[in-house]
Amino acid sequence: MLSTPGGARESAVSVLILGTAEWDSAVATNQHYVTRELAVGARVTFVESLGLRRPTLRPDDIARMVGRARRAFGASAGPVPRQPARVRPANTTIVSPLVVPVHRAPTRRLNRAVLRRATADWLTGDRPRVLWTFAPVTYGLEDAADVVVYHCVDLLARFPGVDSVAVANGERDLAARPGVVAIATSDVVREHLASSGFSRIEVLENVADTTVFQRGSRPAVERRPAVIFSGNLTTAKLDVALLERVAAAVGELGGELILAGPLAAGGGSFTAELRRLERVGARHVGLLTPSQLAEVAGSCAVGLVPYALNEYTVGVSPLKCFEYLSSGLAVLSTALPSVRRVAASNPHVVTAGDDEFTEHLGRLLTPVSDEVIAERIDSAGRHGWGERGQLLRQLLAALLTARRTAAG
């Protein structure tokens, strides 16, 4: 149940979340945490990605499609490589509609039927019904909802391989629907949503599971001159040439660059790039659980956000900033707008251009005291999912109350 602003209780709220990833995807993102937090007070159905990025015949894409087909028919992933199962919150159902990953006229009727069948429990269940979607391609599910929230975490249409026409059409349709609330995770995304026609936009920058990383933090005496990047290793985001220079510079200072995360989880390949990085001293520790990642990060000195500046990354809001700070690390990032905003009020976050990046890196690798580590951890404390979850539940309760009041 959700608490309303007046203290009343809103019972049997049913939330349908349209995701842009699989539930057991390699890296937990905003959509997974939002599912967990909304499930505290509501029944939640999480719909795995409808495939806005057209698949290729690469082995990882084929494995993903095979696993998806097996789950759609109620089977386990079998021999297809999968991540350790992500904990499914109580009151949560995961569904895997076997839609055609092409969202144009020839397949729309079929996909609509498949999606409606997969979400039949939500469609036919008791009201109030909430659609909380991370993907703008909804096939009209908003028509059955009492409240609609479009949670736009980045400039999805600009991600390589994504059907930008389908995304633009979906955003246009959602923006035209009265009462839709859009959530943007950065000022750049907010500007995009405003230009798409959304009239009510809430800016909620990404936050992190700070408590997990705080537990892994180590005292100053146990830290070494290591630099870490954690996240999806993909050319769509990363400045690989910059990472090569970082690996070489850290090696000269007696440390190392640690890479933690999957290879090209969103499509494409990173094999050749990883080999180049390993040749200059980088070490890939693979995909770790959050607790394992916190243990590794907690012994390092600097956390990197080495994103290339392009039309996609300009809108991202890296939650890893607050993971790093919660681990007691300094943060060094390229000049992403959202990170510059954090750096303006946090002396432990530094943004730099190519020419000065390694210079800042050398300075940040200088050993610090336990007091400085504590300051970094404290600065991330207001950017965790504890406070954010409460805020999201309050927002949803207020929207439900306003909807009920409007209906008389």
Side-chain angles (χ1 to χ4, degrees):
M1 294 187 291
L2 292 166
S3 297
T4 62
R9 305 293 286 180
E10 185 71 54
S11 63
V13 176
S14 183
V15 180
L16 184 72
I17 295 180
L18 292 185
T20 58
E22 312 300 313
W23 177 253
D24 285 339
S25 60
V27 178
T29 58
N30 208 312
Q31 59 202 287
H32 300 98
Y33 290 111
V34 169
T35 298
R36 183 188 71 183
E37 296 302 326
L38 293 184
V40 171
R43 298 195 309 267
V44 177
T45 300
F46 180 89
V47 181
E48 294 191 305
S49 171
L50 301 183
L52 297 181
R53 183 186 64 81
R54 295 185 180 182
T56 68
L57 294 180
R58 298 187 62 84
D60 53 348
D61 275 358
I62 293 173
R64 192 177 299 113
M65 288 186 284
V66 171
R68 179 62 172 270
R70 291 179 63 87
R71 294 196 305 282
F73 289 107
S76 68
V80 179
R82 295 280 289 167
Q83 300 310 123
R86 181 163 288 119
V87 175
R88 178 172 60 86
N91 306 320
T92 302
T93 301
I94 312 298
V95 297
S96 304
L98 200 58
V99 299
V100 180
V102 178
H103 304 280
R104 302 294 181 94
T107 58
R108 285 192 64 82
R109 181 174 295 182
L110 172 62
N111 282 347
R112 177 184 172 88
V114 170
L115 183 56
R116 292 183 74 85
R117 180 177 180 180
T119 58
D121 288 346
W122 178 80
L123 285 166
T124 59
D126 295 335
R127 293 182 181 275
R129 291 195 290 265
V130 176
L131 176 64
W132 195 295
T133 182
F134 289 83
V137 179
T138 61
Y139 287 98
L141 288 174
E142 63 271 18
D143 295 336
D146 298 289
V147 168
V148 179
V149 176
Y150 175 38
H151 202 140
C152 188
V153 299
D154 52 29
L155 301 176
L156 182 61
R158 299 181 186 177
F159 191 85
V162 165
D163 187 341
S164 59
V165 173
V167 170
N169 289 342
E171 289 182 336
R172 180 199 62 210
D173 292 344
L174 284 175
R177 189 183 190 278
V180 171
V181 175
I183 295 176
T185 55
S186 69
D187 287 336
V188 172
V189 172
R190 177 187 57 76
E191 292 167 4
H192 163 73
L193 291 173
S195 68
S196 299
F198 289 92
S199 57
R200 178 175 175 183
I201 305 170
E202 305 284 342
V203 178
L204 298 176
E205 294 181 335
N206 285 340
V207 292
D209 205 350
T210 53
T211 54
V212 172
F213 289 88
Q214 288 172 7
R215 287 196 293 267
S217 180
R218 293 288 179 266
V221 69
E222 296 181 24
R223 292 181 181 256
R224 55 202 180 93
V227 179
I228 186 170
F229 168 76
S230 63
N232 186 15
L233 295 166
T234 170
T235 56
K237 287 185 177 181
L238 297 180
D239 185 334
V240 179
L242 177 62
L243 275 174
E244 290 184 67
R245 293 199 299 275
V246 167
V250 175
E252 291 176 359
L253 295 171
E256 67 173 341
L257 169 62
I258 298 173
L259 305 172
L263 301 183
S269 175
F270 200 77
T271 303
E273 290 79 5
L274 179 60
R275 288 173 181 164
R276 293 208 311 269
L277 288 164
E278 288 175 334
R279 282 197 292 268
V280 291
R283 180 165 62 97
H284 183 220
V285 295
L287 180 61
L288 306 176
T289 67
S291 295
Q292 291 169 335
L293 178 59
E295 289 296 322
V296 174
S299 65
C300 295
V302 179
L304 293 180
V305 186
Y307 286 2
L309 298 178
N310 57 43
E311 63 177 4
Y312 171 67
T313 60
V314 71
V316 301
S317 172
L319 60 81
K320 59 178 56 63
C321 275
F322 301 114
E323 291 178 347
Y324 293 152
L325 289 169
S326 296
S327 297
L329 306 182
V331 179
L332 178 59
S333 173
T334 51
L336 298 171
S338 61
V339 183
R340 289 206 309 266
R341 180 173 175 175
V342 176
S345 58
N346 191 321
H348 304 292
V349 179
V350 177
T351 61
D354 279 359
D355 295 340
E356 54 187 2
F357 205 88
T358 54
E359 178 183 340
H360 282 291
L361 181 64
R363 176 176 60 82
L364 294 174
L365 282 171
T366 303
V368 297
S369 66
D370 286 330
E371 287 74 18
V372 170
I373 291 173
E375 287 177 9
R376 293 169 177 172
I377 294 172
D378 182 66
S379 73
R382 298 177 298 279
H383 302 278
W385 276 104
E387 290 186 5
R388 177 56 57 82
Q390 183 177 1
L391 187 154
L392 293 178
R393 291 188 292 273
Q394 290 173 344
L395 171 63
L396 181 52
L399 293 174
L400 289 165
T401 298
R403 176 67 175 82
R404 186 171 55 248
T405 300

